[in-house]
Amino acid sequence: MNMINNNTPTAELQKLDAAHHFHPFTDKAALAKKGARVILRGEGCWLTDSEGHRILDGMAGLWCVNIGYGRKELGEVAARQMMELPYYNTFFQTTHVPAIALAAKLAELAPGDLNHVFFAGSGSEANDTNIRLVRRYWQVKGQPEKRTIIARWNGYHGSTLGGGSLGGMKPIHAHGGKIDGVEHINQPYWWGEGGDMDIDAFGLARAQELEAKILEIGAENVAAFIGEPVQGAGGVVIPPKTYWPEIQRICKKYNILLVVDEVITGFGRTGNWFGSQTFDIKPDIMTIAKGLSSGYAPIGGSIVSDDVAEVVGSGGDFNHGYTYSGHPVAAAVALENLRIMQDEGVVDHVKNVANPYLAERWSKLTDHPLVGEAVLTGLMGSIALTPDKAKRAKFASEEGTVGLRARERCFANDLVMRHVGDRMIISPPLVITPAEIDILIERATKSLDECYAGLQKDGLLVAKAG
Ligand code: PXG
């Protein structure tokens, strides 16, 4: 085989990719026919593909490249750490400087008494850790039957068997099943599921499903509730303001641990360091990954409260861990990422510059005939596509048909904007400038116009009956 490099023709790369690379969440046969887009490099909010297109990355990779692409400092730190100590484990009463420094930094940044970090290689792994942690917590406290975890339909917590089970995505459960002791309640998605209910009343009602579920199972059998402050992969569903205070109240009342999955909302995404601060949530355990290293190295973890650390820590060995828990190179990269975020005021930029600027333009998208609602918190946002705004109607076509068509138009216009069903979502790098936001809105609007024209032409602007 010839050397493959950035100059290899796209068609050849695509052919090899189709032959040997099994992609996540991808229809292998369909991709082989079409050929994957090959990304060669990134700079700031911009990607360059093998055809020379400059693409505005409205998704920060997969919600993770918070400080943007091309920061050489992170590469330099990684190289230095690789030469000094490329690997050592944190098992068997051993540690190393990058893991110590990162744990201490996270304890400083995380709210409340979240002072102890269990490292993982990803968000999925961290949530698998959380399943063990919450069950072990109640075991040590002498209540081993308290082991069921309550989560939400359309939540996303990863795609390991544990993470996928906590998530409420049926297509994921369908591929390989789900572990026992996980129950789901409905999501706080007002626009899509609230009907004519007042939004705040709906938020309360959806939170109170947690209480009903706890009473159904028996509080003596429930270990924890897990949720994302804002559902990301589920379509950027921002809960009504009544939702989280009620969830918090119910967890406290029934002595249930609260696990807040901040894999997307952590590290500035909502305009504060953590979504828990934006939504005033006090978790016992927080899941982190993605923005922790801005995606430059795979790392995740669980930040746990003094109480959880003390209880689990008093039970002898905790029989859990990963070869790469606290990996020194990943930890050093994450630390440098956090240093840059702090020194350059990235979170303040989101709160005071990028969010206010984008919020105004994003909300105006509802002037477009296709857009039913536009929501945004910090720099994660979504729009609902609809054939009839007044009725918040769904399309008659299979869900996702229109979203996919809109995404295709974005793709053609060199904008990465994803679809989840018939919602379009954005989550750009946190360093995006007002000028780049203008380009994002311009390309999004052009794509929506083209999508709308295509739907008219193909007779797809039809609302679902009922
Ligand atoms: N929790 C949340 C809230 C996530 O968003 C995970 C856990 C799992 O993290 P890892 O690092 O194991 O992937 C995630 C990941 C999408 C998409 O299409 C979202 C994620 C991952 C891949 C695709 O929106 N989120």
Side-chain angles (χ1 to χ4, degrees):
M1 190 164 60
N2 293 331
M3 261 294 267
I4 300 167
N5 59 37
N6 280 6
N7 299 318
T8 305
T10 304
E12 203 175 313
L13 291 169
Q14 288 172 330
K15 201 167 144 222
L16 282 167
D17 186 73
H20 303 295
H21 183 188
F22 209 148
H23 290 250
F25 287 98
T26 298
D27 177 336
K28 197 174 192 314
L31 182 68
K33 251 190 238 152
K34 189 174 164 205
R37 187 171 218 175
V38 183
I39 305 297
L40 295 187
R41 57 182 73 87
E43 189 66 41
C45 297
W46 296 86
L47 298 165
T48 304
D49 73 6
S50 56
E51 297 292 280
H53 292 279
R54 269 173 58 74
I55 305 157
L56 180 60
D57 185 4
M59 283 303 299
L62 270 181
W63 323 78
C64 56
V65 189
N66 288 9
I67 61 164
Y69 299 92
R71 293 299 300 244
K72 297 202 169 31
E73 301 93 320
L74 273 68
E76 282 158 10
V77 160
R80 229 182 294 137
Q81 186 60 46
M82 277 202 185
M83 286 185 280
E84 183 150 333
L85 181 71
Y87 176 76
Y88 202 74
N89 64 71
T90 52
F91 288 42
F92 316 131
Q93 309 198 338
T94 307
T95 192
H96 47 66
V97 172
I100 299 168
L102 182 58
K105 183 81 208 170
L106 288 168
E108 176 196 314
L109 288 174
D113 69 347
L114 295 172
N115 287 322
H116 313 264
V117 189
F118 194 105
F119 287 112
S122 66
S124 300
E125 284 182 9
N127 279 327
D128 277 30
T129 298
N130 294 340
I131 295 171
R132 281 245 163 77
L133 270 175
V134 299
R135 289 180 173 172
R136 181 66 186 147
Y137 176 91
W138 293 111
Q139 257 179 3
V140 174
K141 281 178 91 87
Q143 292 173 265
E145 67 290 352
K146 224 166 142 63
R147 64 187 300 282
T148 296
I149 302 168
I150 302 175
R152 284 102 50 92
W153 293 117
N154 201 37
Y156 188 79
H157 301 293
S159 84
T160 50
L161 195 50
S165 300
L166 294 174
M169 309 242 165
K170 288 178 185 159
I172 296 181
H173 298 165
H175 290 189
K178 107 190 207 312
I179 65 167
D180 71 310
V182 179
E183 298 283 334
H184 293 88
I185 59 173
N186 286 310
Q187 58 177 335
Y189 177 26
W190 176 77
W191 195 87
E193 299 178 359
D196 293 325
M197 226 170 148
D198 168 74
I199 186 165
D200 289 335
F202 176 76
L204 269 183
R206 284 291 157 105
Q208 283 159 1
E209 288 197 18
L210 174 60
E211 188 156 26
K213 186 57 96 177
I214 292 170
L215 292 173
E216 177 193 321
I217 304 169
E220 68 283 6
N221 297 314
V222 181
F225 172 77
I226 184 168
E228 307 151 80
V230 175
Q231 287 153 260
V236 185
V237 176
I238 303 176
K241 64 179 186 308
T242 46
Y243 182 77
W244 277 111
E246 185 67 357
I247 292 282
Q248 185 90 54
R249 182 190 71 77
I250 294 166
C251 287
K252 198 154 178 243
K253 178 172 176 192
Y254 294 98
N255 213 8
I256 307 291
L257 293 172
L258 176 56
V259 184
V260 174
D261 186 338
E262 295 249 19
V263 166
I264 285 176
T265 51
F267 305 102
R269 178 57 59 195
T270 68
N272 287 297
W273 275 93
F274 297 97
S276 291
Q277 293 156 329
T278 305
F279 293 88
D280 196 19
I281 314 169
K282 292 183 181 49
D284 297 292
I285 299 178
M286 182 189 275
T287 321
I288 55 170
K290 292 193 191 273
L292 167 58
S293 68
S294 281
Y296 280 63
I299 184 165
S302 308
I303 317 183
V304 314
S305 68
D306 289 341
D307 173 52
V308 170
E310 207 170 289
V311 170
V312 176
S314 70
D317 276 356
F318 177 44
N319 297 330
H320 179 76
Y322 308 105
T323 301
Y324 298 136
S325 285
H327 191 284
V329 177
V333 168
L335 261 175
E336 180 65 3
N337 172 59
L338 298 178
R339 183 196 67 72
I340 290 175
M341 286 190 66
Q342 279 195 307
D343 287 0
E344 297 183 5
V346 172
V347 182
D348 289 343
H349 171 77
V350 175
K351 190 175 213 148
N352 301 319
V353 180
N355 166 273
Y357 193 81
L358 177 58
E360 202 196 320
R361 278 159 183 72
W362 194 248
S363 65
K364 290 217 179 83
L365 288 177
T366 53
D367 294 343
H368 195 280
L370 258 190
V371 178
E373 76 158 356
V375 296
L376 181 77
T377 175
L379 284 178
M380 63 194 291
S382 59
I383 52 181
L385 306 183
T386 174
D388 184 344
K389 308 183 193 217
K391 297 204 172 109
R392 295 192 295 277
K394 296 190 167 63
F395 290 95
S397 52
E398 194 191 334
E399 194 182 349
T401 308
V402 174
L404 182 63
R405 288 171 72 118
R407 191 195 72 181
E408 295 289 318
R409 295 325 306 153
C410 293
F411 203 92
N413 288 315
D414 289 334
L415 169 67
V416 181
M417 175 153 87
R418 275 257 323 278
H419 81 108
V420 173
D422 294 325
R423 287 184 86 82
M424 301 302 295
I425 59 182
I426 53 157
S427 164
L430 303 186
V431 294
I432 193 167
T433 62
E436 288 168 330
I437 288 172
D438 287 342
I439 299 173
L440 189 156
I441 294 292
E442 193 184 297
R443 290 186 182 181
T445 305
K446 179 165 187 272
S447 305
L448 288 169
D449 288 345
E450 290 170 3
C451 178
Y452 188 69
L455 294 173
Q456 271 179 324
K457 185 167 132 287
D458 297 339
L460 286 171
L461 276 174
V462 183
K464 195 171 184 167

